[in-house]
Amino acid sequence: MPLAAFFAQFASFPFNENQSSHKNFDRLVKVLKCDVKDPQGRIALAREGFKDALVHEFNARFGTDNSISNWQYLCGVLRVDPVPNSVKRCRKCVWDVHVNLVDLVDSQRTGKPVKLFASLEDLRAYTHHTRNTFPKETRAYQGGLLRAITRTYFRRPGHGPGSAKKKERKKKQKAARAAAGGD
């Protein structure tokens, strides 16, 4: 798998499959004795490789397309019950689940249940405290499923599926296309 392969390239580093991705990475930094002033930029290169590996690990575990089977699998992991029978319903259910994406990937790697949060505020506080942030800047590697859920965890209030703001924005976009002769 991508995370194990990333860590395997560092011969002196023992990857712990039962430990979180970020804890493994923090240990790697200590093993390499890297710091912010590293003239060779080893820490920056390792961090970029780690971010890419996280995205590839998500894709390997959950899929890259918006197929119903990928969405239903994700719903099952997030303990959505009953699992919906359409992509649209799955997306709506997943939108309301608050989970740290790094923990989601780690749960699949370690076999431990993923921690769900009662509110977006609880998720944000946890993510800030643990620094378990999922890379947003690696969009080139993200499949459609990851792109769809990444927004849900760092959204602003009123921007979810079915929100009044989203409906109003779509209405304005449609009107602008019609005025430009596009619709």
Side-chain angles (χ1 to χ4, degrees):
M1 293 302 282
L3 280 169
F6 165 75
F7 287 113
Q9 62 186 321
F10 302 96
S12 62
F13 179 75
F15 176 61
N16 183 342
E17 188 71 34
N18 295 316
Q19 198 173 50
S20 77
S21 301
H22 277 292
K23 284 185 181 178
N24 271 299
F25 184 76
D26 289 344
R27 284 189 315 103
L28 173 64
V29 170
K30 289 176 185 173
V31 167
L32 294 175
K33 295 185 170 108
C34 293
D35 64 21
V36 184
K37 298 176 185 172
D38 178 15
Q40 297 171 352
R42 290 181 299 176
I43 187 71
L45 290 173
R47 188 170 310 282
E48 289 307 309
F50 175 64
K51 289 176 182 181
D52 289 347
L54 270 173
V55 172
H56 285 295
E57 185 89 11
F58 180 94
N59 290 341
R61 302 241 179 225
F62 294 98
T64 57
D65 62 16
N66 281 309
S67 71
I68 185 65
S69 60
N70 288 343
W71 277 100
Q72 287 177 325
Y73 177 70
L74 178 61
C75 283
V77 170
L78 296 176
R79 300 188 288 281
V80 171
D81 188 30
V83 173
N85 58 4
S86 74
V87 170
K88 185 176 180 177
R89 288 186 193 138
C90 286
R91 285 178 76 126
K92 191 165 174 61
C93 288
V94 168
W95 189 267
D96 294 329
V97 175
H98 307 292
V99 64
N100 179 281
L101 292 178
V102 175
D103 289 352
L104 178 64
V105 169
D106 284 344
S107 75
Q108 295 300 285
R109 193 174 45 75
T110 64
K112 298 175 185 172
V114 66
K115 181 177 181 174
L116 304 179
F117 296 87
S119 69
L120 185 59
E121 292 74 30
D122 291 346
L123 171 61
R124 284 183 179 150
Y126 169 82
T127 302
H128 179 74
H129 175 74
T130 61
R131 297 180 307 126
N132 278 358
T133 56
F134 203 83
K136 341 180 239 196
E137 60 276 353
T138 55
R139 290 188 71 83
Y141 303 122
Q142 292 179 2
L145 182 66
L146 181 56
R147 281 192 185 118
I149 69 169
T150 300
R151 290 178 296 205
T152 63
Y153 303 122
F154 298 101
R155 68 182 185 266
R156 297 183 309 262
H159 286 76
S163 72
K165 286 183 181 180
K166 187 172 184 176
K167 288 178 183 174
E168 184 62 30
R169 189 172 57 248
K170 282 187 173 186
K171 187 176 177 182
K172 286 181 182 178
Q173 289 171 346
K174 187 175 181 178
R177 282 194 305 270
D183 265 348

